[in-house]
Amino acid sequence: MPTLEDEVRRLMADETARLRAAPDLLERVIRADRDRRRRAKAAAVAASVIASVAVVAAPVVYLTAGPTAQVGEQATTSAVPEPPAIDDTPPARTEPETLGDLGDGREFGHVKVGYLPERLRWGNWSVNHGDSYTTSWNYKGDSEGTYRVQIFVYENAAVQELDDRLRIHREEGEGEDVTVGDRSGYLVVTNVGEDGMAGTPTLFLKMGDAQWAEIMFSPVYAKEFSGPEAVTAELRKIAEGLTSTM
């Protein structure tokens, strides 16, 4: 005949067998936090939840000595909140917008182009990121996607990105500060490789407190001029002809 102690052990085993954390609880909590930098925190939280379930699952047994020992059993469970719903749908990829049909390309975004070197025509493409946008010009018959002259425009929040780039050029001793009419600018040859390959002659122009332009000559186009001085002269002419419509 089983003793009182045997019966108590059996009851405890039955209760703890029915009350345990779901085996995939840790995995679900970790998946709910999609940010990799917070995975360790999510794991710690899940471990704490599992530990709490284990403590709740253990029955509390009171034994009193005497001729007629009495057993009182209390086993309570608390509801474990379900992890938040997981959206496994990847974010839709959004392509930058275009600026539409620019006609001759002399006006785009908040900029008007007053001067371009001879024979250049709009390249029939543009990219619009909102606070920054660009278009270019090439020769008739040039391959699609190539450029001779390209202009980027930076506005509002994008100006900070450009400020950082100019700071790096200054710290590296690349280029020089210039003045174009009554506007300030920065002249530099960018994208110069360590193997000495030709870079991209570039003139940055401040058009306002919240607007800058970046005027570039492709290295191939720059070879058509007699030298760096001639290229710089053309860059300056383009910059002088730029006006803002902001």
Side-chain angles (χ1 to χ4, degrees):
M1 180 175 180
T3 64
L4 178 61
E5 288 77 12
D6 292 336
E7 184 65 16
V8 169
R9 291 192 186 97
R10 184 186 64 79
L11 291 173
M12 291 176 63
D14 289 344
E15 291 298 327
T16 55
R18 290 195 299 267
L19 298 171
R20 58 179 180 272
D24 65 340
L25 178 59
L26 177 59
E27 180 182 353
R28 285 188 288 143
V29 172
I30 292 177
R31 287 208 318 268
D33 191 336
R34 301 178 70 118
D35 190 341
R36 293 182 179 177
R37 291 172 296 179
R38 299 177 58 190
R39 285 177 182 263
K41 182 177 179 180
V45 171
S48 176
V49 171
I50 293 173
S52 299
V53 174
V55 170
V56 171
V60 180
V61 180
Y62 301 90
L63 296 179
T64 60
T68 57
Q70 298 179 352
V71 178
E73 180 176 327
Q74 178 183 355
T76 61
T77 61
S78 62
V80 178
E82 287 292 326
I86 300 171
D87 182 7
D88 291 328
T89 305
R93 180 179 178 181
T94 57
E95 297 293 341
E97 297 180 359
T98 66
L99 297 170
D101 185 359
L102 301 180
D104 61 2
R106 294 298 187 107
E107 184 171 356
F108 65 104
H110 301 117
V111 171
K112 288 184 178 180
V113 182
Y115 170 82
L116 285 172
E118 293 181 357
R119 297 172 51 208
L120 291 184
R121 54 153 203 172
W122 181 47
N124 292 311
W125 78 277
S126 61
V127 174
N128 181 14
H129 291 283
D131 281 349
S132 65
Y133 47 90
T134 181
T135 193
S136 66
W137 299 264
N138 56 20
Y139 289 155
K140 183 178 181 179
D142 282 349
S143 300
E144 183 177 352
T146 62
Y147 78 98
R148 303 284 173 162
V149 172
Q150 183 169 355
I151 298 178
F152 273 90
V153 179
Y154 303 88
E155 296 173 355
N156 303 317
V159 171
Q160 181 60 52
E161 172 196 342
L162 185 57
D163 287 342
D164 293 339
R165 289 174 56 194
L166 293 178
R167 174 180 52 78
I168 293 173
H169 284 310
R170 290 187 176 100
E171 291 175 352
E172 297 295 329
E174 302 168 344
E176 59 178 326
D177 288 287
V178 296
T179 301
V180 180
D182 60 351
R183 298 182 291 191
S184 60
Y186 199 81
L187 185 65
V188 64
V189 177
T190 64
N191 305 324
V192 178
E194 295 181 358
D195 58 357
M197 68 179 180
T200 305
T202 304
L203 176 59
F204 297 94
L205 178 69
K206 183 177 182 180
M207 303 181 66
D209 290 338
Q211 186 183 47
W212 278 73
E214 178 182 7
I215 309 164
M216 301 180 296
F217 271 29
S218 72
V220 172
Y221 185 52
K223 291 180 180 179
E224 297 184 14
F225 295 84
S226 59
E229 293 80 8
V231 171
T232 298
E234 289 296 298
L235 286 171
R236 282 181 169 274
K237 287 181 182 179
I238 297 174
E240 289 169 355
L242 286 184
T243 57
S244 173
T245 60
M246 286 186 69

